[in-house]
Amino acid sequence: MHPFSYTRASDTREALNAGRAGGRYLAGGTTLVDLMRETVERPETLVDISSLPLREVTVTERGGLRIGALVSMAEAAAHPKVRTLFPVVSEALELSASAQLRNMATIGGNIMQRTRCTYFRDVTADCNKREPGSGCAALHGYNRTHAILGASDSCVATHPSDVAVAFAALEATVHLLGPHGERPVPFADFLLKPNDTPNREQALGRGELITAVEIPALPRPLRSGYLKVRDRQSYEFALTSAAVALHVRGGVIREAKVAAGGVGTVPWKLSAVERALLDERPSAALWKAAAAQAAHGARPLEHNRFKVELLKRTVERELRIVGGTK
Ligand code: SF4
């Protein structure tokens, strides 16, 4: 591990000042400290923000949900309002990582976590995300777990978060606080596709801090859920996943929110699937027809062609589970 200095921010102003000076924010540390040990990350200054008052889960005036950035994954997953209003969020969190990690890791840190691409974590491999301009060892290497959607010639790594897939489906907003004040960023704009700059992963300005993630109100009743397909049943990242939320009234689907994980360089909103569901009556045939749109635009690599079919089946199965029609 490279030498670094450590400071604990006692309030938000202190944190922002240290962040503006180039400090890296540290909360649960479950990603950053790992990467520092492997010398993938080499920050000069860590700014511990774990004392900041960002640990509340509140229902907004309109009936949405605001989850503070420092709420732990375990706390968010178990929170009664999260469980009743947006089960898809609870399920995505409970299917993530391990119990120990969920106790330490925070919501803000979870959506900031870095890819599990093995070449990224191997400092002897070429990796544009770790070392811009060095190349991408995964492009022609072993790329079974990599992205089929949203990749570029510079990087084909997937985003590893599960709850980010739920946030993408539900069209959440990320609230940021920086030297120039607060600003909300739609979740769809917060995580960046690699394009030519895979080292730039979030739409964050220098020193900006995530304060909360807000899920907008959706019409009730709302049924939702998260399905994760992986090589083993615990402590493993998604090969494919699907977050689904449906509002059915009068026997017709009036709202459909669907996103996929494990397949995109960012959590992948499945707009074509949503369009195929809207104003239709739930049925097994509808789930299959809508899920057939899930891999639209996919560009598989040598070792991950199976993800195209797996993605469609994952989405179809979760539509069936949430939609309740055999
Ligand atoms: Fe690095 Fe991205 Fe290529 Fe993986 S896929 S080696 S993270 S550039």
Side-chain angles (χ1 to χ4, degrees), residues 128-129 135-140 143 146-158 192-200 263-266 268 297 299-301:
N128 287 322
K129 191 182 278 297
C136 171
L139 259 181
H140 304 290
N143 43 39
H146 288 71
I148 58 173
L149 290 157
S152 70
D153 288 343
S154 296
C155 179
V156 293
T158 53
L192 305 176
K193 295 192 196 86
N195 297 313
D196 294 334
T197 52
N199 53 311
R200 188 158 182 262
V263 289
T265 49
V266 294
W268 207 256
R299 287 175 52 202
L301 303 161

Side-chain angles (χ1 to χ4, degrees), residues 95-283:
L95 290 169
S96 305
S98 65
Q100 292 90 338
L101 287 168
R102 292 194 295 271
N103 283 334
M104 284 299 295
T106 63
I107 291 295
N110 185 289
I111 62 174
M112 289 286 292
Q113 69 180 292
R114 309 201 70 188
T115 182
R116 306 307 295 194
C117 172
T118 49
Y119 301 106
F120 171 71
R121 282 159 191 263
D122 173 359
V123 292
T124 66
D126 293 338
C127 174
N128 287 322
K129 191 182 278 297
R130 178 173 27 79
E131 197 69 52
S134 63
C136 171
L139 259 181
H140 304 290
Y142 188 55
N143 43 39
R144 176 176 179 269
T145 60
H146 288 71
I148 58 173
L149 290 157
S152 70
D153 288 343
S154 296
C155 179
V156 293
T158 53
H159 193 274
S161 168
D162 292 294
V163 75
V165 182
F167 291 152
L170 298 169
E171 292 158 20
T173 296
V174 182
H175 289 276
L176 303 178
L177 180 64
H180 306 296
E182 293 180 41
R183 69 179 179 112
V185 179
F187 201 81
D189 299 334
F190 180 69
L191 296 175
L192 305 176
K193 295 192 196 86
N195 297 313
D196 294 334
T197 52
N199 53 311
R200 188 158 182 262
E201 297 174 340
Q202 301 92 14
L204 274 169
R206 186 177 175 89
E208 276 189 316
L209 183 68
I210 301 171
T211 55
V213 176
E214 184 173 334
I215 303 167
L218 284 167
R220 301 281 156 182
L222 186 78
R223 286 184 286 188
S224 71
Y226 185 74
L227 177 66
K228 180 173 183 178
V229 177
R230 46 190 164 168
D231 282 329
R232 59 183 181 191
Q233 272 305 86
S234 76
Y235 198 33
E236 185 56 281
F237 292 86
L239 289 170
T240 58
S241 72
V244 170
L246 298 175
H247 167 57
V248 181
R249 200 178 65 245
V252 174
I253 299 170
R254 312 284 180 176
E255 288 272 0
K257 306 290 182 195
V258 188
V263 289
T265 49
V266 294
W268 207 256
K269 183 79 159 151
L270 298 178
S271 305
V273 175
E274 293 174 344
R275 283 194 298 273
L277 293 167
L278 276 182
D279 301 325
E280 300 289 344
R281 291 185 174 275
S283 71

